[in-house]
Amino acid sequence: MITMTHYLVFSALLFCISIAGIFINRKNILLLLMSIELMLLSVNTNFIVFSHYSSDITGQVFVFFILAVAAAESAIGLAIIVSLFRIRNSLEINLINKLKG
Amino acid sequence: MDILTILFYLVTSVIIISSMSLVIVSNTVHAALLLVLIFFNSAILWLTLKAEFLAIVLVLVYVGAVLVLFLFVIMLLDIPVKKKSSNKLYLLFSVITSFIMFAELYMIIFYHDFSNEVTTNVASNLNNTYEIGYKLFTQYIFSFEITAFILLVAIIAAIAINLTQRERSLRQDPGKQILENKDSRLKVIKGDEL
C-alpha cells in the first residue's frame, strides 16, 4: 500500500540529489540548469501529492503556474547561455567572472 | 502487492537512478536524454495521483518543447566534452549538504506522520481538466493573466539578449547609407587651417 509518506520521501530524495548536482557540476552551466529543472519537478510532485490527499484541486493549479514560470526561466537561461558562449567560448562556471562578484 | 505499488517502486527507482546519473554524467546530450526519461516517468507518477491534465502537459510541453530547446542549444553550441573537475572537496561538500538536508526532511515527514492520510474522492464525477479549468478561470484568473505576461516578458527578453550587433561586422546598413549626404562625407579644408 502506497501512502503519502512514500511520495514525500521520494520527492525529498529527488530534491537533495539535484542540490548535490548544483554543487558538483561546476564545469557546465547547462547541467546546472537541468538540476534546477529537476528541483522544480520534485516541488511539483510534492504539490500534486498534497493536492491528491487533501482532495483539493488548487495544488494542481499552482503546478500549472510553476510549469509556465519554469518554461520562461529555462528559455531566458538558455538565451543567456548562448550569448555567453558567443563571447567566452566556454561554459565553465568558474571562468564566468565578468561581473567581478 | 497490487499493481499500483509495483508501478510506484518501478517508476521512482528509474527516476532516482537516472537523476543520480544525470548529476555525475559529463556528456551534456546524455544528460538531456536522461532528463527526458525522468520527466516521462514523473508523468506516469502523476497519473497514479490522478493528475491527468498535468501529466500530459508535462509530456507535451516539457518533453516536447523545453527539453527539445535544451537539446537544440546543446547541439548548436557544440560544447567540448570535458572531464569532471577533479576537486574532491566539492563532491564531499555536496554529499554532506544533501545528506543533511535529506535527513532533516525525513525527520519532518515522519514527525508529522502522513501515512494515515486517505483521499476522500469527492466530486469524482467531474474530470480533472474541467476542475483545473474551472478553478483557473474563476478564482485564479488574475494569476493566469500574470502568467501570460511572464511568458511575453520571457519571449522579449530571450530575443533582446541575443539581438546584439557584432562589433566588427562588415554588414551594410542601408538606412545609414541612404542618410549619408555630401556634407557628412566631404569636408573642404582651407590651407591655413592645417
Side-chain angles (χ1 to χ4, degrees), chain B residues 9 11 32 55 81 94 103 106 159:
Chain B
Y9 282 114
V11 163
V81 178
S94 67
Y106 196 81
I159 294 172

Side-chain angles (χ1 to χ4, degrees), chain A residues 75 78-84 86, chain B residues 157-165:
Chain A
L78 288 172
I80 291 173
I81 285 172
V82 169
S83 67
L84 198 67
R86 203 183 279 161
Chain B
I159 294 172
I161 286 170
N162 280 317
L163 204 70
T164 50
Q165 289 266 339

Side-chain angles (χ1 to χ4, degrees), chain B residues 73-113:
Chain B
V73 168
I74 290 164
M75 292 175 181
L76 180 77
L77 292 186
D78 191 23
I79 307 146
V81 178
K82 282 183 182 166
K83 287 296 289 177
K84 287 280 167 186
S85 58
S86 57
N87 203 339
K88 291 278 186 291
L89 188 68
Y90 283 98
L91 189 66
L92 183 72
F93 185 66
S94 67
V95 168
I96 288 172
T97 308
S98 58
F99 188 77
I100 289 172
M101 277 187 63
F102 181 67
E104 286 171 349
L105 286 170
Y106 196 81
M107 280 193 285
I108 289 170
I109 289 167
F110 276 89
Y111 174 72
H112 281 284
D113 193 20

Side-chain angles (χ1 to χ4, degrees), chain A residues 1-87 89-92 94-95, chain B residues 2 4-5 8-9 12 15-16 19-20 22-28 31-32 35 38-39 42 45-46 48-54 57-58 61-62 66 69-70 73-74 76-80 82-85 87 90-91 93-95 97-98 101-102 105-106 109-110 113-115 117-122 128 131-132 135-136 139-140 143-144 147 150-151 153-154 157-158 161-162 164 166:
Chain A
M1 183 64 193
I2 300 297
T3 59
M4 192 172 176
T5 312
H6 288 80
Y7 288 105
L8 292 180
V9 169
F10 157 71
S11 177
L13 192 57
L14 191 60
F15 192 83
C16 294
I17 289 171
S18 42
I19 286 279
I22 285 184
F23 283 112
I24 292 169
N25 287 313
R26 297 173 59 255
K27 285 286 171 190
N28 199 334
I29 198 167
L30 269 166
L31 282 172
L32 202 143
L33 211 60
M34 287 181 196
S35 294
I36 292 174
E37 298 287 329
L38 216 58
M39 286 166 72
L40 286 169
L41 185 81
S42 76
V43 171
N44 283 341
T45 309
N46 239 349
F47 261 112
I48 288 180
V49 170
F50 277 103
S51 158
H52 178 68
Y53 280 98
S54 52
S55 296
D56 191 357
I57 205 76
T58 312
Q60 298 190 15
V61 176
F62 272 86
V63 172
F64 184 79
F65 291 143
I66 291 174
L67 283 181
V69 173
E73 170 251 328
S74 65
I76 295 178
L78 288 172
I80 291 173
I81 285 172
V82 169
S83 67
L84 198 67
F85 191 78
R86 203 183 279 161
I87 56 171
N89 218 7
S90 132
L91 287 181
E92 295 190 26
N94 37 5
L95 295 182
Chain B
D2 58 342
L4 216 60
T5 311
F8 175 81
Y9 282 114
T12 49
I15 291 175
I16 294 296
S19 63
M20 278 176 175
L22 187 146
V23 163
I24 59 172
V25 82
S26 59
N27 192 338
T28 326
L35 206 58
I38 290 168
F39 277 117
S42 296
L45 193 71
W46 292 6
T48 65
L49 291 166
K50 296 191 174 60
E52 300 98 4
F53 174 71
L54 289 169
V57 160
L58 191 74
V61 174
Y62 251 77
V66 175
L69 190 69
F70 263 100
V73 168
I74 290 164
L76 180 77
L77 292 186
D78 191 23
I79 307 146
K82 282 183 182 166
K83 287 296 289 177
K84 287 280 167 186
S85 58
N87 203 339
Y90 283 98
L91 189 66
F93 185 66
S94 67
V95 168
T97 308
S98 58
M101 277 187 63
F102 181 67
L105 286 170
Y106 196 81
I109 289 167
F110 276 89
D113 193 20
F114 292 107
S115 57
E117 298 269 342
V118 285
T119 173
T120 49
N121 266 333
V122 289
N128 181 253
E131 281 186 80
I132 291 179
K135 208 67 164 180
L136 203 58
Q139 194 177 348
Y140 294 101
S143 315
F144 187 67
T147 308
I150 285 171
L151 287 175
V153 169
I161 286 170
N162 280 317
T164 50
R166 292 275 185 82

